[in-house]
Amino acid sequence: MKTTRELNKLLKKRGIDKDRQKELKQERRTLKNRGYAANCRVKRETEEKTLEKRNDKMRYEMEIKMSEIEEAKKETEQMKRRYCNLNSEIEQLKKEHELYLMKVEEDNATRGQERGLKALLANRTEIKWEKVKEEPVSPISLKTYSI
Amino acid sequence: MKTTRELNKLLKKRGIDKDRQKELKQERRTLKNRGYAANCRVKRETEEKTLEKRNDKMRYEMEIKMSEIEEAKKETEQMKRRYCNLNSEIEQLKKEHELYLMKVEEDNATRGQERGLKALLANRTEIKWEKVKEEPVSPISLKTYSI
DNA sequence: ATGATTAGTCAGCAG
DNA sequence: CTGCTGACTAATCAT
């Protein structure tokens, strides 16, 4: 009996200790869980904010890209205008050259008469020009042969 | 005594009813809260997904913008090349015109001699050309006056 | 009172 | 076991 009672006592004590240990253990676990939960929420919020920031950044870069496109297109338009102007200029030059050619042609036609004269003189072998004297007022001698 | 007991009974019954009512009320509230919480979570997740989708969409559009910029720049480069080519052409035309002018000038210089001859003939008042006859082979008469 | 949100608790999974 | 996360509950805020 005595031993049994003492045994029971010991067992009871151990049980109590076990309960205490479990209780403490659980309490610690709970406490840690509290922290884990808080951490988890903080993490979630952080990620959300990160995502939003990334979004804003993208929107900002998007605007930059838009203006870049605008700029590039503007430059292209400018180049096109300059190209057209140059094209007009080239057309103008070609026309001028053409006109010049026609004018020269005309002159040549006019000069054709002179050339006729020259030819005439050249063919008239019976006519000869000769320098007779070196004097300031030199007489010109023409010898005429009848055909 | 009887009335008191019955009264107590009634009061007790009412108390129980009150507890029940409160209990039921709380239970309903709890149930509703459960739904609210679930709804809240769903809402949060939905927003997160929405944000992410928006992000992906932006990234996609960004790539499109990039290619647009690339295209615009390429077009500008092409225009620049064409512009340069046209510029070369115009330079070439100018040079050719210049060369042509020089050639014409040269011709004129050569022709200067003829012009000299013409002037000579023009100034020599003592020389006169006259058509003497209408016959096919007409003799040319030159009258010479000595100064 | 109703609905939303926050923080704490537990269950359950993953490493 | 430790740490994380989903779901439930109570407390609190806001309408």
Side-chain angles (χ1 to χ4, degrees):
Chain A
M1 289 268 285
K2 211 178 184 181
T3 47
T4 307
R5 277 183 188 172
E6 288 177 358
L7 197 66
N8 283 338
K9 253 192 177 179
L10 286 174
L11 285 172
K12 199 177 179 185
K13 199 180 181 184
R14 279 183 200 166
I16 290 172
D17 281 3
K18 278 186 181 176
D19 286 354
R20 266 255 161 103
Q21 284 174 20
K22 276 190 179 178
E23 204 177 314
L24 287 173
K25 207 173 176 182
Q26 181 55 29
E27 197 177 339
R28 276 191 288 265
R29 172 72 167 164
T30 298
L31 199 66
K32 285 183 176 180
N33 267 335
R34 193 180 304 172
Y36 298 150
N39 184 31
C40 185
R41 278 162 190 147
V42 167
K43 182 186 170 188
R44 216 172 41 214
E45 289 160 16
T46 302
E47 285 175 349
E48 284 173 10
K49 284 178 184 173
T50 299
L51 215 62
E52 259 183 78
K53 279 183 182 176
R54 198 185 294 176
N55 218 322
D56 290 351
K57 189 183 168 188
M58 279 223 171
R59 206 168 299 162
Y60 175 69
E61 287 180 1
M62 189 71 96
E63 287 183 10
I64 293 181
K65 294 297 169 195
M66 290 295 242
S67 63
E68 273 188 44
I69 290 177
E70 210 52 40
E71 196 179 341
K73 282 186 177 175
K74 221 181 274 179
E75 198 180 350
T76 300
E77 282 307 312
Q78 187 187 347
M79 283 309 298
K80 274 184 183 173
R81 276 201 305 278
R82 289 175 64 184
Y83 180 81
C84 285
N85 288 341
L86 209 59
N87 224 353
S88 301
E89 192 179 339
I90 217 169
E91 288 299 325
Q92 184 64 17
L93 275 181
K94 282 179 180 176
K95 270 184 190 168
E96 281 181 16
H97 189 68
E98 205 67 29
L99 279 176
Y100 192 83
L101 285 181
M102 288 174 67
K103 189 188 166 199
V104 167
E105 195 71 21
E106 195 178 323
D107 282 6
N108 280 344
T110 304
R111 223 175 275 120
Q113 302 164 9
E114 297 167 22
R115 209 168 285 159
L117 171 63
K118 189 183 175 186
L120 183 63
L121 287 172
N123 289 334
R124 291 288 166 179
T125 52
E126 68 274 15
I127 302 176
K128 280 195 177 176
W129 297 82
E130 286 184 9
K131 209 170 191 178
V132 179
K133 287 180 186 175
E134 290 289 351
E135 278 116 39
V137 184
S138 66
I140 295 176
S141 162
L142 289 173
K143 300 179 179 178
T144 308
Y145 304 84
S146 57
I147 303 168
Chain B
M1 288 268 284
K2 213 179 182 182
T3 47
T4 307
R5 276 182 189 173
E6 288 178 356
L7 196 66
N8 283 338
K9 251 192 177 180
L10 286 174
L11 286 173
K12 199 177 180 184
K13 200 179 180 184
R14 279 185 200 166
I16 289 171
D17 281 2
K18 276 190 182 174
D19 287 352
R20 266 254 161 103
Q21 283 175 20
K22 276 191 179 177
E23 207 177 312
L24 287 173
K25 205 175 180 181
Q26 182 52 33
E27 197 177 338
R28 277 192 285 264
R29 173 70 167 164
T30 297
L31 200 66
K32 284 184 177 179
N33 269 334
R34 194 179 304 172
Y36 300 149
N39 185 32
C40 188
R41 284 191 295 270
V42 167
K43 183 186 172 188
R44 216 171 37 215
E45 289 160 16
T46 301
E47 285 178 348
E48 284 174 11
K49 284 177 184 172
T50 299
L51 215 60
E52 261 184 75
K53 278 183 182 175
R54 196 184 294 177
N55 217 325
D56 290 352
K57 190 182 169 191
M58 278 224 173
R59 206 167 300 162
Y60 175 70
E61 287 181 357
M62 189 71 97
E63 286 183 12
I64 293 181
K65 293 298 169 194
M66 290 294 240
S67 64
E68 272 188 44
I69 289 177
E70 210 52 40
E71 196 179 340
K73 283 186 177 176
K74 223 182 274 179
E75 199 181 351
T76 299
E77 282 307 310
Q78 189 186 346
M79 282 310 297
K80 275 185 183 172
R81 275 201 305 278
R82 289 174 65 185
Y83 180 81
C84 283
N85 289 340
L86 208 60
N87 223 354
S88 301
E89 193 180 338
I90 216 170
E91 287 300 323
Q92 185 64 17
L93 275 180
K94 282 180 180 175
K95 271 183 190 170
E96 281 179 17
H97 189 68
E98 204 66 27
L99 279 176
Y100 192 83
L101 284 182
M102 285 175 68
K103 191 185 163 199
V104 166
E105 193 70 20
E106 197 177 323
D107 283 7
N108 280 344
T110 304
R111 221 176 275 119
Q113 301 166 11
E114 299 166 19
R115 207 168 286 159
L117 172 64
K118 191 179 174 186
L120 185 62
L121 289 169
N123 288 333
R124 290 290 163 178
T125 53
E126 68 273 17
I127 302 174
K128 281 196 177 177
W129 297 82
E130 287 183 6
K131 211 170 188 178
V132 181
K133 292 179 182 174
E134 288 288 353
E135 281 116 37
V137 184
S138 65
I140 295 176
S141 162
L142 289 175
K143 301 181 178 175
T144 306
Y145 305 86
S146 54
I147 304 167

